[in-house]
Amino acid sequence: MSFEEKTSETVQSLKCQNCGAVLHYAPGTNSLKCEYCGTVNEIEHEPDLAIRAIDYEEFIAAQQAHTNATQEAQIVKCTNCGASTTLLPNVTADSCAFCASPLVIDHVQTTTMLEPHYVLPFVVKDNEALQYFRNWMSKLWFAPSDLVKKVKDGSSQQLKGVYIPHWSYDADTDTSYTGQRGEYYYTTETYTETVNGREETRTRQVRHTAWYRTSGRVNNEFRDVLVSASPSLPQKMAIILEPWKLEELKKYDGRYLSGFRAEIFQTNAEQGLVQAQRRMDPIIRDEICGDIGGDEQIIDDYDVVYDSLGLKYLLLPVWISAYKYNDKVYHFVVNACTGEVTGDRPYSWVKIAGLVISIILAIIIIWQLASQQ
């Protein structure tokens, strides 16, 4: 099927079979629902889809040759934070989901975008996401006492559903290393101590470490090491939103995006691999330490060979919004599959100062009681 035929088919499938209106994907289902007449239009999907990674080298080669699957999309770029997202149909005014700045709709561009391999559809509805957010906010340590009330009274902005691009990496690693193994041993030491005005000779066990040079090789298997391909969702924040229900991935179908935005990746696959390797590194180092054994370990040097590199380009769903507190805007993100929440928050310096004062007073009281004994 040609690109034009595929695009035409997708457009037609987004129209209600009953009234012809544009359909929106209904979170938690495999269907599109008409907001006008309520008709439900099913999305056909493979029930037992085998989720497979693409060979990394072949993907990069195809990308350089411009032979990877692509599709056209209307993209609007925020002039404030730089986020590039797809534009919802028939929108004439909107704001950026990431920084809440007004979007200049006149700057919309039709461009060719890389077609994702898989999409993880929305499960959590917007009202459920808001409740997850309020539960998260109510548990924040050192938050201002009136924070929940102010946000509940309407200071939160409208939630926006966005698909965030992610790279998922698979790798089998073979790591050779050199290092040192430390083993504890103990000697008896004699010392003198004054007890009730008299010198007494006592003994104690003193720990030492004997070091032995070592070398070896360890292997690790990594599957679905995720890297956010969007600077709008920093990697540190993206990690907090994990884990995702990747077993529920669907083969990419533009109908799952209907009614939502999708950001375009700004971190490419090669840059993403560097970040993925950084995520793998602590696990490899732990494996080396376990292989060295002993009571302490020192890694002098190691060399990692990455075999069977696999890649998947994914779209993962989040609800993004912001709320105001004392005229300052704070952003938050909700995992639209699990309800996990992360974001910015205000602190009550009065509560923090009160805690510090309480700790200082407790230390003074303990010191005074100890002095009296």
Side-chain angles (χ1 to χ4, degrees), residues 9 15 89 152 164 181 212 230 242 248 253 272 287 296 300 308 328 332 353:
E9 182 182 272
K15 291 184 178 180
K152 192 173 182 179
I164 302 294
R181 179 176 66 254
Y212 304 91
S230 163
E242 294 180 7
E248 297 179 9
D253 188 321
E287 189 74 17
E296 293 185 30
D300 291 326
S308 305
K328 185 176 180 180
F332 66 93

Side-chain angles (χ1 to χ4, degrees), residues 46-321:
E46 299 178 43
D48 298 316
L49 174 67
I51 302 170
R52 295 188 178 91
I54 308 299
D55 181 84
Y56 175 81
E57 299 297 341
E58 291 181 5
F59 176 85
I60 296 300
Q63 193 171 32
Q64 292 172 347
H66 305 289
T67 56
N68 280 322
T70 59
Q71 64 179 39
E72 287 188 350
Q74 285 190 310
I75 307 298
V76 59
K77 185 172 183 178
C78 176
T79 56
N80 182 50
C81 71
S84 295
T85 56
T86 55
L87 187 66
L88 298 177
N90 304 317
V91 171
T92 56
D94 208 344
S95 60
C96 177
F98 301 96
C99 70
S101 299
L103 292 175
V104 182
I105 304 301
D106 292 342
H107 292 176
V108 172
Q109 296 180 340
T110 299
T111 186
T112 300
M113 58 176 277
L114 179 69
E115 184 175 295
H117 300 131
Y118 300 97
V119 58
L120 188 60
F122 274 74
V123 174
V124 176
K125 300 178 178 64
D126 54 357
N127 60 331
E128 295 171 335
L130 188 57
Q131 188 57 51
Y132 281 123
F133 160 66
R134 287 174 175 163
N135 292 341
W136 169 79
M137 189 169 50
S138 66
K139 298 175 183 177
L140 294 177
W141 283 53
F142 305 119
S145 301
D146 60 349
L147 176 63
V148 175
K149 182 178 184 301
K150 281 193 174 182
V151 174
K152 192 173 182 179
D153 286 345
S155 59
S156 61
Q157 300 178 8
Q158 185 178 5
L159 285 165
K160 297 184 184 297
V162 183
Y163 282 100
I164 302 294
H166 281 70
W167 299 110
S168 171
Y169 297 90
D170 295 348
D172 296 331
T173 62
D174 181 13
T175 307
S176 57
Y177 70 87
T178 57
Q180 300 174 55
R181 179 176 66 254
E183 296 183 353
Y184 296 152
Y185 67 95
Y186 296 84
T187 59
T188 302
E189 180 181 83
T190 302
Y191 67 99
T192 59
E193 184 176 34
T194 302
V195 180
N196 297 326
R198 297 177 58 185
E199 292 289 325
E200 292 188 5
T201 300
R202 297 187 175 186
T203 61
R204 61 188 170 198
Q205 293 293 103
V206 179
R207 191 181 77 185
H208 306 275
T209 305
W211 290 100
Y212 304 91
R213 294 200 170 275
T214 183
S215 62
R217 173 172 268 109
V218 297
N219 301 102
N220 293 85
E221 291 185 0
F222 294 95
R223 298 294 179 266
D224 288 316
V225 179
L226 292 176
V227 173
S228 170
S230 163
S232 305
L233 183 66
Q235 183 64 12
K236 183 178 179 180
M237 186 176 288
I239 290 174
I240 296 175
L241 293 178
E242 294 180 7
W244 298 84
K245 297 181 179 180
L246 298 183
E247 67 278 6
E248 297 179 9
L249 285 169
K250 308 291 184 185
K251 187 175 180 181
Y252 176 75
D253 188 321
R255 289 175 291 184
Y256 287 111
L257 275 59
S258 183
F260 299 96
R261 300 183 185 188
E263 192 180 6
I264 309 304
F265 75 83
Q266 297 183 51
T267 299
N268 63 35
E270 292 135 310
Q271 294 167 331
L273 178 59
V274 174
Q275 294 189 42
Q277 289 170 339
R278 288 180 189 150
R279 294 197 69 181
M280 298 177 197
D281 188 67
I283 299 172
I284 294 173
R285 291 181 64 90
D286 285 346
E287 189 74 17
I288 293 173
C289 288
D291 196 61
I292 290 175
D295 299 304
E296 293 185 30
Q297 303 84 30
I298 294 177
I299 302 173
D300 291 326
D301 191 24
Y302 62 104
D303 181 59
V304 185
V305 176
Y306 297 89
D307 294 320
S308 305
L309 270 174
L311 172 75
K312 294 189 287 289
Y313 177 31
L314 312 177
L315 291 183
L316 304 182
V318 300
W319 289 104
I320 297 178
S321 191

